Amino acid sequence: MFLQILWRSLQNRKGRVAIAILAVAMGAAMVFALGSLSLDMNDKISRELRDYGANIVVVPPVGGAGSAVEPLLPESVVPALKNSEAAPYILGAIPYLYGIAEIGNQKVVLAGTDFSQVQKSSPWWKVQGSWPTVGTNQSIVGVKAATALNLTVGASYSVRQKDKAGTFTVAGIVTTGGVEDNQIFADLPMAQSLLGHPGQVSQVQVSAQTGKQPVTALATAIEQSVPAAKVKVVKQIAQAEGQTLGKIEWLMVLVTVIILGASAIAVMSTMTTTVLERTKEIGLMKAIGAETSSIGKLFWTEAVCIALLGGLVGSVIGFGVAQLIGKTVFQTAISFRPFVLPVSLAISAIVTLLASFVPVRAATAVVPAITLRGE
């Protein structure tokens, strides 16, 4: 009997039930979408931020990075990074060897590097021309250095360093907005030979993904695997990354709370209207012997049905929204997290039941005698 009454109640109010389900679905969709995004967001945003520079620098244990002569690091530091505990989180490791050289009568900073790693870890470098071919004498010249030395793409120039000299060809002119604009970049082995430091580097710039591991923990893991070096965290980048992730998470929470609040108001409005429309029906049910608890049970069950249906529909929509955001913003799919579904359903149920509290209480407070007299 109870199930028949419940079914007819829902069936006779299809329009209002549909509105309530839609309201719950909106909230559930946001919970599911933002829940799925938040679980993948840290990794994906951390990977996106790595395009704007390294967050860890490996330098010699004494002195400082960028020293023209001493101290230096063995080039074996780079493969050692791949064997460290932080290896799964390292997206790129760029070795650099710096030295002062002369072009004509002007001194310039010559930097030897691995161009394949630079292209991978520093996509923000704007190169006019092309990237050098590995193992050749092709080079990249900073835009300010190119202006000062009157160099253009395709030009050849001689570089001297003490008693050694080499000839390079300009493959491209780079603009970064940083110190790189004043430097000349050559293939690492060529620079090592010219500067007289075979098998050595000045520093290694590491781009590490910090979505699952804090950058300080990754720096510690690298330092343990490379005891001959000192590992520094680029604090400005690390702090900016942490602040960005924190602000986005709070924004997502705020948006979810607002939408859940709107859903609760919509459900409360729908349930209140339903109680007002069924006041005489409730009074008649009580008059023929229905207990107050049975009336409450009927409305609470309706609320649960609305919550579950809305939660399921909203979860499906939410997963689609998460995929859309993932493809649009991060150019990748968002992973399906099974435990997000019960969380979404639970939150939908809680919001719906809280929103139904006042209307159900009003329904159970109906007085049969007064209602049936039409007062």
Side-chain angles (χ1 to χ4, degrees):
M1 178 64 75
F2 177 80
L3 293 178
Q4 289 180 349
I5 296 175
L6 175 64
W7 173 251
R8 290 178 180 176
S9 175
L10 295 173
Q11 198 172 34
N12 292 335
R13 298 181 298 109
K14 294 179 181 178
R16 296 198 181 282
V17 170
I19 292 174
I21 290 175
L22 179 61
V24 175
M26 288 175 56
M30 289 304 300
V31 171
F32 196 97
L34 297 184
S36 299
L37 285 171
S38 64
L39 293 172
D40 275 15
M41 183 185 66
N42 286 353
D43 287 343
K44 288 179 170 55
I45 291 181
S46 176
R47 184 177 290 272
E48 292 287 328
L49 291 175
R50 293 284 56 75
D51 289 347
Y52 298 94
N55 51 356
I56 297 175
V57 180
V58 181
V59 298
V62 180
S67 174
V69 180
E70 293 291 348
L72 297 172
L73 288 169
E75 191 178 348
S76 58
V77 166
V78 178
L81 294 173
K82 299 178 181 180
N83 297 323
S84 69
E85 293 183 3
Y89 307 100
I90 295 177
L91 302 177
I94 312 174
Y96 284 100
L97 174 65
Y98 297 103
I100 302 298
E102 292 183 355
I103 299 178
N105 296 322
Q106 298 190 51
K107 291 185 177 181
V108 65
V109 175
L110 174 64
T113 189
D114 183 341
F115 288 117
S116 63
Q117 286 295 318
V118 174
Q119 291 182 70
K120 179 181 178 182
S121 301
S122 301
W124 46 277
W125 282 29
K126 297 179 180 179
V127 176
Q128 177 190 353
S130 62
W131 286 91
T133 302
V134 177
T136 67
N137 67 339
Q138 293 181 336
S139 66
I140 285 182
V141 181
V143 62
K144 292 182 180 179
T147 301
L149 298 169
N150 195 28
L151 294 175
T152 58
V153 175
S156 295
Y157 59 96
S158 297
V159 179
R160 296 191 312 276
Q161 210 283 331
K162 294 184 179 179
D163 58 342
K164 295 185 179 182
T167 301
F168 293 93
T169 302
V170 181
I173 296 176
V174 64
T175 302
T176 68
V179 296
E180 295 85 1
D181 291 352
N182 296 297
Q183 299 173 356
I184 291 177
F185 297 88
D187 193 42
L188 183 58
M190 297 286 291
Q192 288 172 333
S193 176
L194 182 61
L195 295 174
H197 297 298
Q200 294 180 304
V201 296
S202 301
Q203 64 174 228
V204 180
Q205 296 183 7
V206 180
S207 291
Q209 189 174 355
T210 59
K212 296 179 180 178
Q213 290 287 341
V215 65
T216 52
L218 295 177
T220 300
I222 291 174
E223 197 162 35
Q224 290 174 348
S225 64
V226 190
K230 184 176 181 180
V231 180
K232 296 181 178 181
V233 174
V234 183
K235 293 183 178 180
Q236 294 89 339
I237 294 178
Q239 290 174 353
E241 182 175 334
Q243 291 173 357
T244 300
L245 293 175
K247 289 178 180 179
I248 292 177
E249 287 178 349
W250 274 110
L251 176 62
M252 294 172 68
V253 170
L254 180 61
V255 171
T256 302
V257 170
I258 292 174
I259 293 181
L260 286 175
S263 298
I265 293 173
V267 172
M268 181 182 293
S269 176
T270 302
M271 294 293 288
T272 299
T273 303
T274 299
V275 170
L276 291 175
E277 290 178 345
R278 300 177 63 186
T279 300
K280 290 187 178 181
E281 178 185 341
I282 296 169
L284 180 61
M285 292 172 65
K286 282 191 172 184
I288 61 177
E291 297 180 356
T292 300
S293 60
S294 298
I295 301 297
K297 180 181 178 182
L298 176 63
F299 281 93
W300 284 122
T301 305
E302 288 184 15
V304 170
C305 290
I306 291 172
L308 293 178
L309 287 173
L312 288 172
V313 173
S315 295
V316 174
I317 297 174
F319 184 67
V321 171
Q323 295 304 316
L324 178 63
I325 295 175
K327 292 288 187 180
T328 303
V329 178
F330 302 111
Q331 288 77 49
T332 183
I334 300 298
S335 303
F336 175 72
R337 312 279 182 162
F339 60 87
V340 177
L341 178 58
V343 171
S344 177
L345 293 176
I347 292 177
S348 299
I350 292 172
V351 171
T352 304
L353 294 176
L354 288 175
S356 302
F357 178 77
V358 173
V360 173
R361 187 175 180 182
T364 57
V366 170
V367 179
I370 297 177
T371 303
L372 294 177
R373 285 203 305 266
E375 298 180 6

